[in-house]
Amino acid sequence: MNSPLTKLEKRIRLAGLLLIAGLLVELGSLHWSHPTAFLFFLLLGGLLMAAGIVIYLLSLVSVESR
Amino acid sequence: MTGTTTIAVAVILFSVALIAWLTFRPSITATRGGKILAFVALLVFPVLAGGMGVNEHIQHSKTTNFCLSCHVMEDYGKSLRVDDRSYVPAIHFQNNLVPRDQACFTCHTDYTMFGDTNAKLRGLKHVYAYYIGKPSEPIKLYTPYNNRECLHCHLGARGFEESEAHSKDPEVLVRMKSNQLGCTSSGCHNIVHNIPSLKEATFWKETDK
């Protein structure tokens, strides 16, 4: 049976999911040549990726491993 | 898809795969190697992919297709194909005097140190006007067209320097080069996009090579 995730692992998982979402938004925007694609990339993709990176960095400094 | 786009897509897909692995097995970050992997996957690669994405979007935004993708620009795209040598954009576009895939950007960027940056900032202003404000009717340049943009290519060219209209009076070239006599506003090359006259215009049909 899997052991429950630590707080750090939970935050890494959340950061990872946000980053994956942001990268997929970026991937979609690259295949669309329209000004809206840039906004989509910057506002949605950028926000998701920034949130993922911030959560990851915060997890390093604020959560005890166990 | 261009080479840089392919690389950007590859970096994004690799990042997604790496992050997905970490997301579904976060326990690997307990080891030293796992911590380094997490740092690379959750920080280094996303920043790299984001930077490449910004660069790709900036490159896309220079293309003619990008500029003409907005409804308000459709007629300006048509004006590139008018079958009339007096239309300045048409003659440049049809004779490959500007790269066809970057026709708008080539003439509408500023050839100064931060010209490309300024052009992109103006582009953001266009997006704002398109979605939130109201584009002016008809569309106008923010500032009068500067001869500098024409001279970037034409300066020193024999056809430009020695043409009868330019060289008959030596003052003409001096005034043009100092932007005192506008190329497009002096009555010489004043037929630019000329949107109202497009209804009566005939258009060039490119033959298949």
Side-chain angles (χ1 to χ4, degrees), chain B residues 4 10 12 15 22 32 34 43-44 56 77 136 139 149-150 160 162 172 177 180 207:
Chain B
T4 54
I12 292 168
S15 307
L22 264 176
R32 191 172 176 216
L43 187 69
V44 176
E56 279 305 303
S136 63
I139 292 171
E149 277 55 274
C150 308
F160 171 77
E162 295 180 9
V172 169
K177 288 176 184 176
Q180 289 171 324
T207 50

Side-chain angles (χ1 to χ4, degrees), chain B residues 89-107:
Chain B
I91 194 136
H92 281 76
F93 180 82
Q94 293 166 27
N95 292 291
N96 289 342
L97 299 178
V98 292
R100 283 190 197 165
D101 59 343
Q102 292 192 357
C104 311
F105 181 79
T106 304
C107 294

Side-chain angles (χ1 to χ4, degrees), chain A residues 5 9 12-13 15-17 19-20 23-24 26-27 29-39 41 49 53 56-57, chain B residues 9 12-13 15-16 19-20 23-24 26-27 29 38-39 42-43 46 49-50 53-54 56-57 60 66 69-70 127 131:
Chain A
L5 295 176
E9 288 168 352
I12 284 179
R13 179 168 281 183
L17 290 172
L19 281 167
I20 289 173
L23 287 166
L24 292 178
E26 182 182 342
L27 192 64
S29 75
L30 287 180
H31 289 88
W32 184 18
S33 188
H34 192 274
T36 314
F38 181 67
L39 290 182
F41 162 72
M49 282 168 60
I53 289 170
Y56 166 64
L57 291 175
Chain B
V9 168
I12 292 168
L13 291 176
S15 307
V16 168
I19 295 167
T23 304
F24 291 104
S27 57
T29 57
F39 183 79
L42 299 175
L43 187 69
V54 169
E56 279 305 303
H57 276 286
H60 278 180
F66 179 90
S69 66
C70 281
V127 173
Y131 286 108

